[in-house]
Amino acid sequence: MNRRNILWSTVSALGAAFAASRAKAATEAAPSSKLKVVYHLADADKVNFVLGNIQNHIDGVGGPDHVTLALVIHGPALKAFHAAQANPDVGKRISDFSKDGVELAACGNTMKAQNITLKDLLPGFVSAEKGGVVRLAELQSQGYLYLRP
């Protein structure tokens, strides 16, 4: 009987210590309330929809200071962001997003396929040199939530 009491006390003490260490770890490494989200855009017919989603996201959380956003573009959708042919509304949205700190990444492989450079795109873009899908995976590995509207 005495052994059972000793064993039970030991197990209880270990459980309490474990719970306390978990609580301490949770408060020390409390997750930021600021979400990190990456939007994936490849379809040319979804450009305005995705840009609207990003604006709604910014507005919905109370402004750009409350969320970290990235937009990764590849494939046919990238043509909508060529400076020479971009819709003025798209240009204004991209300018606003850039000012708000949204990472605007253009797939390096798509840029090569379309025979363009960053200079040919609207201002604010960076090159995802290893490719758009690689950049998406990198961001996800950094804790970004993935959205493909």
Side-chain angles (χ1 to χ4, degrees), residues 46-103:
K46 291 188 177 179
V47 169
N48 287 319
F49 181 71
V50 171
L51 296 181
N53 276 213
I54 293 171
Q55 187 60 58
N56 290 342
H57 200 140
I58 291 169
D59 295 343
V61 298
D65 295 335
H66 302 284
V67 66
T68 300
L69 294 173
L71 171 62
V72 177
I73 305 168
H74 68 98
L78 191 59
K79 287 191 177 194
F81 302 94
H82 290 199
Q85 63 192 47
N87 175 310
D89 182 55
V90 169
K92 180 178 180 345
R93 286 180 175 197
I94 291 300
S95 175
D96 291 346
F97 292 159
S98 181
K99 289 175 190 168
D100 287 343
V102 176
E103 176 186 315

Side-chain angles (χ1 to χ4, degrees), residues 5 10 24 28 58 104 107 112:
N5 288 340
T10 303
K24 183 180 178 188
E28 288 175 354
I58 291 169
L104 304 166
C107 173
K112 287 177 193 168

Side-chain angles (χ1 to χ4, degrees), residues 13-148:
L14 287 174
F18 178 72
S21 70
R22 296 277 299 181
K24 183 180 178 188
T27 57
E28 288 175 354
S32 170
S33 60
K34 188 174 176 180
L35 288 177
K36 298 187 296 185
V37 181
V38 58
Y39 282 83
H40 177 185
L41 177 59
D43 303 319
D45 62 334
K46 291 188 177 179
V47 169
N48 287 319
F49 181 71
V50 171
L51 296 181
N53 276 213
I54 293 171
Q55 187 60 58
N56 290 342
H57 200 140
I58 291 169
D59 295 343
V61 298
D65 295 335
H66 302 284
V67 66
T68 300
L69 294 173
L71 171 62
V72 177
I73 305 168
H74 68 98
L78 191 59
K79 287 191 177 194
F81 302 94
H82 290 199
Q85 63 192 47
N87 175 310
D89 182 55
V90 169
K92 180 178 180 345
R93 286 180 175 197
I94 291 300
S95 175
D96 291 346
F97 292 159
S98 181
K99 289 175 190 168
D100 287 343
V102 176
E103 176 186 315
L104 304 166
C107 173
N109 297 325
T110 301
M111 289 171 50
K112 287 177 193 168
Q114 293 179 4
N115 198 29
I116 61 168
T117 66
L118 284 176
K119 293 176 187 173
D120 299 312
L121 295 174
L122 294 168
F125 276 91
V126 297
S127 176
E129 301 222 0
K130 298 177 188 175
V133 294
V134 172
R135 184 65 185 141
L136 287 166
E138 289 171 347
L139 289 169
Q140 288 179 73
S141 74
Q142 295 169 19
Y144 279 71
L145 302 172
Y146 171 84
L147 293 177
R148 184 169 183 178

